[in-house]
């Protein structure tokens, strides 16, 4: 997730806290990611792409 522009340490921490961990975050859909505080639909799409490219 470090590769996503606009996702710094604080936002990463907030996302992990919101979803309860990296495994849960990895399972989240784009719509679920977009519902997290401070995450736009576009940013959710970028995060999803990075999480599913590995």
């Amino acid at each position: 997730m470090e590769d996503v522009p606009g996702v710094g340490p604080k936002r990463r921490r907030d996302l992990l806290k919101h979803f309860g961990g990296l495994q849960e975050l990895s399972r989240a859909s784009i719509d679920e990611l977009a519902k997290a505080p401070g995450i736009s639909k576009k940013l959710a799409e970028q995060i999803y792409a990075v999480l599913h490219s590995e």
Side-chain angles (χ1 to χ4, degrees):
M1 232 176 3
E2 292 86 17
D3 303 339
V4 182
V7 181
K10 182 183 182 327
R11 196 167 270 168
R12 259 197 310 280
R13 208 171 31 250
D14 291 348
L15 277 169
L16 290 171
K17 188 175 177 183
H18 179 81
F19 286 100
L22 188 56
Q23 198 169 20
E24 292 81 359
L25 179 60
S26 297
R27 285 196 289 253
S29 69
I30 292 172
D31 287 335
E32 290 169 331
L33 289 168
K35 289 178 186 168
I39 304 297
S40 67
K41 178 83 169 178
K42 182 174 179 172
L43 190 53
E45 290 168 355
Q46 292 173 325
I47 293 168
Y48 186 89
V50 168
L51 288 173
H52 294 88
S53 67
E54 298 168 356

